[in-house]
Amino acid sequence: MSKLVVLVSGGGSNLQAILDAVANKTISAQVVAVIADRDCYGLERARQAGIPAYLVDRKLHRSDLSEQIAQLIPLDCDLIVLAGFLSILNAKFIQSWSNKIINIHPSLLPKHGGAGMWGLKVHQAALDAGDSESGCTVHYVSEEVDGGAIIAQHLVAIAEDDTAERLQHKVLHFEHQLLVAVVAKLLA
C-alpha cells in the first residue's frame, strides 16, 4: 500500500478530505504522518485519526526546518502533500523528493501565487485584479514558490458580490475534490 505524508499549517480541511478518501478507499494509501509548522487543528485531526502527528519549529532557518521535516518522513514514502502548508522548503529537500511533493494552491496558477500569497490574500488579490474567475491548482513543488508544473486545476466563477471570504469558501469546496482526485490518480 502506498505511503502518504501530509504537511499542514492550519485547520486541516484538505487533510480531512484526504483522510476521508483513504477511509472510503477513494485513495489507496496510508497516511503515515502529519507534520505541522505551527500548532494547528490539522494536528488534532491527525491525532483523532490515530496518525502520528509532529510539530516542527517554523522559526528555524529554512534548511534546518527542511532537515527536521526530512527526518520525520519515511524513506519509502510515495507522496508528500502540502495541504495548506505555509513554510518554504529548501532546494535540497525538494530535489531529494523530486516529483513526489505536491501542493494545493487557492488560485489558478500562475495567477496570484508566490511568496506571501496564501489564505484570504490570494482571494483578495483575485478580486482586486477584477478577475472573472478563480479556482484552485494542484502542482508539483519546485524551488520556485508555486512555480512547479501544474497537475490539475478547477475553475470557479467570481460573482460580482463575492467578498474574499465568500470566494475562499467557494474555492475551498473544490480544493478538497481536486486534491483527492489528484492524490488518487498519482498513487494509482
Side-chain angles (χ1 to χ4, degrees):
M1 180 171 283
S2 296
K3 292 183 180 177
L4 189 59
V5 172
V6 182
L7 278 59
V8 298
S9 293
S13 67
N14 277 308
L15 166 63
Q16 190 63 55
I18 291 170
L19 295 175
D20 293 345
V22 167
N24 71 28
K25 308 224 183 303
T26 301
I27 294 175
S28 180
Q30 174 186 11
V31 179
V32 295
V34 173
I35 303 168
D37 66 347
R38 60 202 77 209
D39 192 22
C40 61
Y41 192 66
L43 288 171
E44 182 58 29
R45 288 182 194 269
R47 291 181 191 115
Q48 289 174 5
I51 297 166
Y54 305 98
L55 177 61
V56 295
D57 185 358
R58 68 182 166 134
K59 294 181 181 122
L60 292 173
H61 184 274
R62 184 182 301 180
S63 60
D64 294 332
L65 174 72
S66 296
E67 180 59 33
Q68 192 176 44
I69 292 169
Q71 291 175 10
L72 298 170
I73 297 175
L75 294 177
D76 60 349
C77 177
D78 296 291
L79 189 65
I80 300 167
V81 179
L82 309 187
F85 187 69
L86 298 177
S87 290
I88 307 299
L89 300 165
N90 73 358
K92 179 181 174 188
F93 182 92
I94 292 167
Q95 290 164 5
S96 67
W97 293 99
S98 180
N99 292 321
K100 288 194 174 191
I101 312 170
I102 64 170
N103 181 50
I104 180 85
H105 185 78
S107 78
L108 295 174
L109 292 174
K111 284 184 133 184
H112 314 301
M117 292 303 288
W118 55 272
L120 286 175
K121 295 175 187 178
V122 174
H123 304 293
Q124 191 61 55
L127 295 174
D128 291 346
D131 294 348
S132 61
E133 57 192 25
S134 187
C136 49
T137 303
V138 177
H139 65 93
Y140 286 106
V141 173
S142 69
E143 293 172 43
E144 179 187 346
V145 178
D146 296 328
I150 292 172
I151 302 166
Q153 293 183 311
H154 186 88
L155 184 114
V156 175
I158 297 177
E160 282 187 30
D161 62 343
D162 272 343
T163 61
E165 292 82 4
R166 191 174 305 137
L167 183 56
Q168 180 181 46
H169 181 73
K170 287 178 10 180
V171 170
L172 186 59
H173 170 74
F174 292 106
E175 282 184 43
H176 299 159
Q177 294 176 15
L178 186 66
L179 184 58
V180 166
V182 168
V183 170
K185 183 177 179 181
L186 291 176
L187 295 178

